[in-house]
Amino acid sequence: MKKSIIINIISWLGISLLLFFYLERQLAFHYFYIEQFRLFRFNQDYALQLFSHPGGISEYIASFLIQYFIHPHIGPLIMTSLFLCIGIGVQNIWRKLSPNLEMPLAYLMPGILLLLADMDFNHHLEGILAYASVVWILNLYIRIRSPFIRIPFMAIASWLLFYFAGPAFEAVILCAIFYEFYTKSSFKWYSLLLLPLGIFPACWWYQTGLGGEARIVFSPDAYFNPRLALQPIIYYAWGALLLIFILACLCGKFKGFKKKWMTYTSPILQIILAGWFLHNETKTYNSPTLYLVKELDYYARTEQWDKLLSAPLRSDKNAMHACFQNLALAQKGILADKALSLKQVGADGLWIAWNRSTTASTLLSDVYYAMGNVALAQRMAFEGMISSEWTVNPRLLTRLVKTNLIYGNHAVAGKYISMLEDTHAYKEQAVALKRFLNNDEAIDKDPELGFKRRCIAKTDGLAQIEGVPYDLLQIIASNPECKTAFEYLGIFCLMNKDIIPFNQLIETYHNAKGLSPMPVSFQEAIILAHEGDTAAWTRLGVTPQVAERFRTFKQTVLQNRGSAALPNKLHTGFGNTYWYYYCLLYTSPSPRDRSLS
């Protein structure tokens, strides 16, 4: 084996390893996130549905690959492999057209631009598959010596490429025409026929009305969510391929560097420059704020609550961060005990305002399901599904299965289960849920589904007509064992400093199982509601330890009244108490006069 071949193999292996570890570090949660937006199904109907239209085969392959992104390391591995496929393909084109000039920057740049484009989850992986197809078709094309064979090959290839990947066919046609004229082929004028011949299937598809908008049929817009404005980076990537092909042709007469050291130094510097460009542009295209949401979403999906809480949350400024944080606390059963000791944006961080996005819908579905609000959990799961580009989401589909089972809608649940049974990652879960179909007795006995069913026993639909707090009251009335509902409603009252409705809740349900043991923050609020009635403290569940701590708190307030040092002293000794929150934090008007202020 030639020395140059060995060096080339080692170089690509080194680049691939570095890229894999870089993607693993920078984008692992991005690939976990985009897995949710497709549902690849191993059945004939699904395949025929996609194969029936141009670009469907690449969509089928892309969906097949994306389903494995749910597993750690697979997303970066697949993306590295596609990058390698494109990079080697471009290198082979360059070396064929310009054998005396090594240009690693040209080999690497198309793949880098595609990686940057793919950092937006609205970009389609089939765009990268289409790009790879174009690169290797061009490799075959420039190796066919006879123009008599070469041009018909390109005409057929452009038709096949349109069916396989959509508008990618245009790139190969333009490169082929330029190549024929540059090489001064005897068939160069005949090559112009490639344009009308190659574009004919797309024009027919568009004229019949089957292809939709012209921008989807004829431009790279096909590889992006059609509901949104396309990012220019995708056009840069496709334009780079045309530019590199032309540049390779023009550099074909280059005889090599006069100084030998430049032969090795130039490629190394170009590789370093490519790596710097990727890292620098990642900061732009991989928004840290959005990436953190993807990370939090993954922890919520996999129920890694401790990792979620240890993430760099900005829960005092970002309602979504606070909502994730409070969901984790609720799932750990410590929302009432810990919420007020952590940074908060107030009650807005308990359940965020719905903005119709899939991310918000999914988070709200998780929150409502945790608190026992099955109807709203179902609605948000459905809204999250239809707001997605492919109107399907395996995670939310599983939620719809569970909520329909809880409501006894077995036919609907069965339909969703049959879809999940055809998948790779969700088949086992679908089979486990299938045993509940038409088996209400099994549902009632199940720790999760049966418990949630008891939460809707006395509800009137929970359509949020009067707001989530009213829904929570109905859930509590239906199932007094639902600790999460008590915690969300209680903390909502405490964050809003609504002591009167909070006290009414405690007076009614202080003996309920869902309030046993009474959360410490609730005990502290009980003392504020009955500050002069110590008998009520004991009756409503205040422990001697909390009562004694309140006396110390009050003494500190009285001894330092009017002192500038009072806030610091209270924060040091009582910063994690509701008394501190009530008196000093979020000082919006309260419905009750504060005797300690």
Side-chain angles (χ1 to χ4, degrees):
M1 187 179 293
K2 293 183 179 180
K3 181 180 178 181
S4 60
I5 297 177
I6 296 175
I7 293 175
N8 192 51
I9 292 174
I10 294 175
S11 298
W12 280 115
L13 285 176
I15 291 171
S16 299
L17 286 173
L18 289 173
L19 179 62
F20 170 78
F21 288 116
Y22 183 79
L23 295 179
E24 180 70 22
R25 179 179 178 83
Q26 298 289 333
L27 291 164
F29 294 105
H30 169 72
Y31 299 122
F32 290 140
Y33 185 75
I34 63 176
E35 178 271 332
Q36 301 174 76
F37 293 95
R38 304 214 193 182
L39 187 72
F40 182 87
R41 299 190 288 281
F42 290 93
N43 63 51
Q44 185 177 3
D45 291 339
Y46 178 72
L48 292 176
Q49 177 188 352
L50 293 184
F51 291 178
S52 64
H53 62 82
I57 296 179
S58 62
E59 183 180 341
Y60 183 88
I61 297 173
S63 298
F64 175 82
L65 295 175
I66 288 173
Q67 69 176 324
Y68 295 104
F69 284 13
I70 193 173
H71 302 297
H73 317 304
I74 298 300
L77 179 62
I78 289 176
M79 297 306 297
T80 300
S81 300
L82 292 174
F83 176 88
L84 191 63
C85 176
I86 292 172
I88 293 176
V90 175
Q91 182 188 57
N92 288 340
I93 292 174
W94 185 278
R95 286 185 170 181
K96 175 66 176 176
L97 299 177
S98 181
N100 297 320
L101 178 63
E102 280 293 333
M103 189 66 70
L105 190 61
Y107 318 153
L108 300 175
M109 192 54 64
I112 289 175
L113 292 172
L114 289 170
L115 287 176
L116 294 173
D118 200 62
M119 291 177 190
D120 187 332
F121 62 87
N122 292 296
H123 179 257
H124 300 169
L125 183 63
E126 43 264 48
I128 299 180
L129 296 174
Y131 205 101
S133 302
V134 168
V135 167
W136 285 100
I137 287 175
L138 286 174
N139 264 290
L140 289 174
Y141 176 78
I142 61 178
R143 281 166 172 76
I144 300 174
R145 294 185 177 182
S146 171
F148 184 76
I149 299 175
R150 193 167 58 227
I151 293 177
F153 165 81
M154 180 54 68
I156 295 172
S158 65
W159 282 39
L160 293 176
L161 188 59
F162 172 69
Y163 175 65
F164 173 79
F169 72 95
E170 295 170 341
V172 293
I173 291 175
L174 294 175
C175 288
I177 293 174
F178 178 84
Y179 181 78
E180 295 298 329
F181 274 83
Y182 177 76
T183 57
K184 299 179 181 179
S185 165
S186 58
F187 282 72
K188 63 182 179 181
W189 293 107
Y190 292 104
S191 69
L192 292 176
L193 294 174
L194 287 173
L195 191 57
L197 281 173
I199 208 171
F200 174 75
C203 291
W204 178 83
W205 185 250
Y206 173 69
Q207 288 297 326
T208 58
L210 298 173
E213 298 179 65
R215 67 185 183 89
I216 303 299
V217 179
F218 297 102
S219 78
D221 285 44
Y223 308 124
F224 198 77
N225 188 334
R227 305 175 188 174
L228 304 174
L230 182 70
Q231 282 195 1
I233 187 70
I234 299 178
Y235 277 95
Y236 299 159
W238 285 93
L241 179 61
L242 300 176
L243 180 62
I244 290 169
F245 188 87
I246 294 172
L247 188 62
C249 291
L250 297 178
C251 294
K253 298 179 181 179
F254 182 75
K255 297 181 179 181
F257 291 107
K258 293 182 179 180
K259 296 183 178 180
K260 191 173 182 180
W261 63 270
M262 283 293 293
T263 304
Y264 300 99
T265 304
S266 177
I268 293 173
L269 291 176
Q270 291 179 53
I271 292 173
I272 293 173
L273 179 61
W276 172 85
F277 178 80
L278 172 62
H279 180 66
N280 188 66
E281 293 303 305
T282 296
K283 300 174 185 177
T284 301
Y285 290 96
N286 183 35
S287 165
T289 301
L290 181 57
Y291 186 72
L292 178 56
V293 171
K294 296 174 184 177
E295 181 179 355
L296 299 178
D297 178 85
Y298 176 74
Y299 291 145
R301 174 161 51 131
T302 55
E303 299 184 356
Q304 299 184 62
W305 307 118
D306 289 327
K307 286 188 177 181
L308 193 156
L309 291 171
S310 63
L313 298 166
R314 297 172 59 249
S315 50
D316 57 335
K317 298 178 181 178
N318 188 304
M320 181 170 281
H321 288 193
C323 191
F324 273 114
Q325 170 186 272
N326 293 324
L327 172 63
L329 294 175
Q331 295 286 25
K332 288 171 63 68
I334 56 175
L335 175 63
D337 288 320
K338 297 294 184 180
L340 298 179
S341 63
L342 300 176
K343 294 179 179 179
Q344 298 283 356
V345 295
D348 291 340
L350 292 174
W351 48 85
I352 58 174
W354 182 48
N355 62 6
R356 300 181 182 274
S357 70
T358 300
T359 302
S361 299
T362 302
L363 174 56
L364 285 171
S365 182
D366 288 348
V367 170
Y368 293 140
Y369 191 75
M371 65 174 59
N373 195 329
V374 180
L376 276 179
Q378 184 179 69
R379 178 191 169 191
M380 287 296 104
F382 183 75
E383 294 287 357
M385 291 266 288
I386 63 175
S387 64
S388 172
E389 180 182 354
W390 281 273
T391 62
V392 68
N393 183 308
R395 175 184 178 184
L396 296 179
L397 202 58
T398 304
R399 174 65 43 75
L400 290 174
V401 170
K402 292 182 177 181
T403 55
N404 278 286
L405 286 173
I406 292 168
Y407 276 114
N409 301 324
H410 296 283
V412 178
K415 177 182 177 181
Y416 294 147
I417 287 175
S418 65
M419 294 174 64
L420 293 171
E421 280 186 306
D422 292 330
T423 66
H424 157 70
Y426 300 90
K427 181 177 181 178
E428 185 176 343
Q429 192 172 8
V431 171
L433 290 170
K434 194 172 184 179
R435 67 186 180 90
F436 295 112
L437 286 177
N438 303 310
N439 192 346
D440 287 317
E441 183 179 353
I443 293 174
D444 291 334
K445 292 180 180 179
D446 185 71
E448 178 186 344
L449 302 181
F451 187 85
K452 300 295 184 187
R453 176 172 279 188
R454 291 194 291 276
C455 290
I456 64 172
K458 298 180 181 179
T459 62
D460 58 5
L462 301 183
Q464 206 179 358
I465 296 175
E466 298 187 49
V468 175
Y470 176 76
D471 293 348
L472 286 168
L473 278 174
Q474 291 192 65
I475 294 168
I476 290 170
S478 297
N479 186 3
E481 296 183 14
C482 189
K483 180 180 180 180
T484 310
F486 276 115
E487 291 195 319
Y488 266 107
L489 182 56
I491 287 296
F492 175 79
C493 292
L494 298 189
M495 284 185 171
N496 285 328
K497 302 185 180 180
D498 293 333
I499 297 299
I500 293 176
F502 171 80
N503 185 55
Q504 293 171 345
L505 174 69
I506 298 301
E507 287 282 0
T508 305
Y509 293 103
H510 63 274
N511 289 322
K513 190 173 181 179
L515 284 175
S516 179
M518 184 69 70
V520 173
S521 63
F522 288 9
Q523 295 180 45
E524 293 165 351
I526 289 170
I527 291 177
L528 289 182
H530 303 275
E531 187 176 338
D533 185 0
T534 56
W537 299 3
T538 304
R539 176 174 59 84
L540 297 176
V542 178
T543 63
Q545 293 82 359
V546 174
E548 181 59 32
R549 193 178 187 195
F550 174 74
R551 295 186 183 96
T552 305
F553 173 83
K554 185 172 183 178
Q555 184 178 7
T556 302
V557 172
L558 295 176
Q559 288 177 352
N560 294 275
R561 186 185 296 275
S563 171
L566 177 59
N568 288 333
K569 288 186 176 182
L570 291 181
H571 181 268
T572 301
F574 307 94
N576 63 342
T577 67
Y578 183 62
W579 308 315
Y580 178 80
Y581 180 98
Y582 187 79
C583 294
L584 297 177
L585 296 181
Y586 305 100
T587 54
S588 57
S590 171
R592 177 183 180 276
D593 292 334
R594 290 175 287 175
S595 59
L596 297 178
S597 59

